Amino acid sequence: MGDVAKDLTAGTVGGAAQLVVGHPFDTIKVKLQSQPTPPPGQPPRFAGAADAVKQTLAAEGPRGLYKGMGAPLATVAAFNAVLFTVRGQMETVLRSEPGVPLTVGQQVVAGAGAGVAVSFLACPTELIKCRLQAQSALASAAPAPAATAAAAATVAAPASAAVKYGGPMDVARHVLKSEGGARGLFKGLLPTLGREVSGNAIMFGVYEATKQAIAGGQDTSQLGRGSLIVAGGLAGAAFWGAVYPTDVVKSVLQVDDYKNPKYSGAMDAFRKILAADGVKGLYKGFGPAMARSVPANAACFLAYEVTRSALG
């Protein structure tokens, strides 16, 4: 089996592990990100992550935490296969001699290149996922006539809130039919690129730096599974710690109403979120995202490394 096939296989296994471990946290993150800004004096739909979990379980049961998993599950093979394969091929290009370990800086460059490639898969997949995860929160929100313009900026339009999707394919059909065809599936591509390029550069850099720190040098081939778990968890935390506001902008754009949009683009969404909620508005759902990032990415990197090693 060639290196590309090995990376494809190991990336698929790693992505599946990441998804199973992390999806419930991701659901809560998106619900908190996409809940409308309440009218002055009114409490938000969810008081925090724990309250979002309680309400989701009460209204939808445990299955509600895995809502929207069909879209990423269907594409997890392609997403992670591309991520790890492009990274592997960039490692080959950057490596000075066959078998020589890459420096942390070279891993940063390889991660950034992989981030460009996966953005074009992540954008439509996450649009579908976000619509499914957010619709229960959006459907219960009514627009407030007395709300200020700034507060109303993050309130989803009622037409969007009224749409009920039966599943990932239903979302895709609706977007293709009513939101500009295939182009509609790439709504939020700019912030997706911003998140994936910078986030993966940081993630793979931190992963390699942590492994080398534990190993005491560039040769990390003898590290045990515990060390890989630590490195993977720290890498995931670094990813989300660095790019979270970009993810918030992406999410609000992707659940915004097509016919009556509140945002004209990524920068407009950024400005309106700041005006309505301040800096804290750019960190809605940050707790669940960070809680997810450590175990999910630890599982992903461990599964990738173990599978890659088993394949030779």
Side-chain angles (χ1 to χ4, degrees), residues 1-2 5-11 13 304-312:
M1 184 182 286
K6 290 174 184 177
D7 282 331
L8 286 168
T9 303
V13 174
Y304 171 81
E305 297 281 14
V306 170
T307 304
R308 189 67 172 78
S309 177
L311 294 172

Side-chain angles (χ1 to χ4, degrees), residues 228-296:
L228 296 176
I229 288 172
V230 171
L234 288 174
F239 181 108
W240 286 108
V243 304
Y244 195 79
T246 308
D247 186 66
V248 172
V249 171
K250 176 199 72 70
S251 292
V252 299
L253 283 176
Q254 290 185 326
V255 300
D256 196 17
D257 183 46
Y258 176 72
K259 293 182 179 177
N260 299 290
K262 296 295 180 184
Y263 311 111
S264 61
M267 287 307 300
D268 184 51
F270 178 81
R271 284 192 295 267
K272 287 179 176 175
I273 291 170
L274 280 179
D277 298 317
V279 174
K280 70 178 182 179
L282 294 169
Y283 286 90
K284 283 183 179 180
F286 185 68
M290 293 303 289
R292 167 193 178 274
S293 67
V294 175

Side-chain angles (χ1 to χ4, degrees), residues 9 32 54 168 176 182 217 220 286:
T9 303
L32 290 172
K54 274 188 214 173
L176 289 171
T220 61
F286 185 68

Side-chain angles (χ1 to χ4, degrees), residues 18-270:
Q18 181 185 51
L19 186 65
V20 171
V21 171
H23 193 79
F25 295 96
D26 192 61
T27 296
I28 298 305
K29 171 182 74 75
V30 172
K31 283 178 178 285
L32 290 172
Q33 285 178 340
S34 59
Q35 67 174 330
T37 299
Q42 296 296 316
R45 168 79 192 280
F46 303 115
D51 184 47
V53 172
K54 274 188 214 173
Q55 290 195 41
T56 300
L57 290 174
E60 306 170 60
R63 290 179 61 185
L65 295 173
Y66 283 91
K67 185 172 282 186
M69 195 170 80
L73 186 60
T75 58
V76 68
F79 182 92
N80 285 277
V82 169
L83 178 67
F84 283 98
T85 301
V86 172
R87 174 200 174 218
Q89 292 304 297
M90 289 199 68
E91 285 180 337
T92 301
V93 172
L94 293 168
R95 190 171 282 121
S96 57
E97 295 178 20
V100 175
L102 266 64
T103 65
V104 172
Q106 288 172 321
Q107 286 288 0
V108 168
V109 174
V116 173
V118 298
S119 294
F120 293 91
L121 289 173
C123 188
T125 299
E126 295 205 5
L127 182 141
I128 291 170
K129 174 181 68 69
C130 286
R131 295 283 181 94
L132 289 170
Q133 289 173 324
Q135 68 176 347
S136 60
L138 294 175
S140 65
T148 65
T154 56
V155 178
S160 177
V163 174
K164 286 291 185 180
Y165 304 113
M169 292 306 298
D170 190 33
V171 178
R173 280 192 295 267
H174 174 84
V175 172
L176 289 171
K177 180 180 178 182
S178 306
E179 298 188 22
R183 183 179 178 183
L185 292 172
F186 286 90
K187 188 176 186 179
L189 179 61
L190 183 60
T192 301
L193 277 164
R195 185 192 71 180
E196 293 297 328
V197 174
S198 56
N200 279 295
I202 292 167
M203 182 175 72
F204 283 111
V206 169
Y207 182 64
E208 187 63 27
T210 304
K211 288 200 302 176
Q212 290 185 16
I214 295 172
Q218 282 192 306
D219 183 6
T220 61
S221 60
Q222 300 304 311
L223 289 179
R225 294 184 179 184
S227 298
L228 296 176
I229 288 172
V230 171
L234 288 174
F239 181 108
W240 286 108
V243 304
Y244 195 79
T246 308
D247 186 66
V248 172
V249 171
K250 176 199 72 70
S251 292
V252 299
L253 283 176
Q254 290 185 326
V255 300
D256 196 17
D257 183 46
Y258 176 72
K259 293 182 179 177
N260 299 290
K262 296 295 180 184
Y263 311 111
S264 61
M267 287 307 300
D268 184 51
F270 178 81

